Amino acid sequence: QSALTQPRSVSGSPGQSVTISCTGTSSDVGGFNYVSWYQQHPGKAPKLMIYDVTKRPSGVPDRFSGSKSGNTASLTISGLQAEDEADYYCCSYAGSYTWVFGGGTKLTVL
Amino acid sequence: EVQLVQSGAEVKKPGESLKISCKGSGYSFTNYWIGWVRQMPGKGLEWMGIIWPGDSDTRNSPSFQGQVTISADKSISTAYLQWSTLKASDTAMYYCARGSGTYPYFDYWGQGTLVTVSS
């Protein structure tokens, strides 16, 4: 079970959009529609931002959206705000009630 | 209000044993999974395993199989993560999280328990 592949860092200016990719295999991302995304600010616990590839929990701004194509899932953040600066992790169901996280992406708001 | 409250930070020596806890409240503890996630210093999240407190059905990541024991006491709405022999490489923050859905996503997280293993 290898970690999903995410870019180590992305950046954008306030108001812009950024997309974070998460690449796995047909045994995880490509095989199931159970990808979730988590935001983690320094020193804080992770927070659920997207689940089941595209669904947003209540309270998460609609600036956050998720998608998937083949073995790659993506998180898009539109209308970037300073408070979006954080680490982002994808997570995929990998069968037999096991999960795998991505390596994480540091988002910098310029 | 759903809450997961974890036990406090621990400082241990290599070879010692340890059990940390995660107490759920504000929801039906036996009807949701509880997962455990490791975050080593400066590193990313790693999924360790998951337990269904209703019947203690447990699934472990192959990476952690045999290294830790996950358990739960549904009578006190508490899940546990346990080591029999700690190593320096177990130094990390450990999070518990509630798993929701048929193939759970983790919608509520504990505050984390920092475990430091040092001689």
Side-chain angles (χ1 to χ4, degrees), chain A residues 1 34 36 38 40 43-48 50-52 87 89 91 93 96-104, chain B residues 33 37 39 43-47 50 59-63 95 101-112:
Chain A
Q1 221 179 31
Y34 300 117
S36 51
Y38 301 88
Q40 188 181 33
K44 300 294 187 182
K47 175 187 175 184
L48 177 68
I50 296 287
Y51 67 98
D52 294 353
D87 293 325
Y89 295 90
C91 180
Y93 181 66
S96 301
Y97 273 78
T98 64
W99 281 258
V100 60
F101 278 99
Chain B
W33 293 89
V37 175
Q39 187 166 38
K43 302 298 184 182
L45 305 176
E46 297 173 272
W47 183 80
I50 198 166
R59 312 297 174 96
N60 293 292
S61 163
S63 301
Y95 292 101
T102 304
Y103 296 96
Y105 49 89
F106 302 104
D107 57 355
Y108 288 91
W109 292 66
Q111 82 277 20

Side-chain angles (χ1 to χ4, degrees), chain A residues 69-105:
Chain A
S69 178
N71 295 338
T72 298
S74 299
L75 173 71
T76 298
I77 309 169
S78 59
L80 266 180
Q81 298 183 4
E83 61 260 36
D84 298 334
E85 185 163 295
D87 293 325
Y88 291 84
Y89 295 90
C90 61
C91 180
S92 176
Y93 181 66
S96 301
Y97 273 78
T98 64
W99 281 258
V100 60
F101 278 99
T105 298

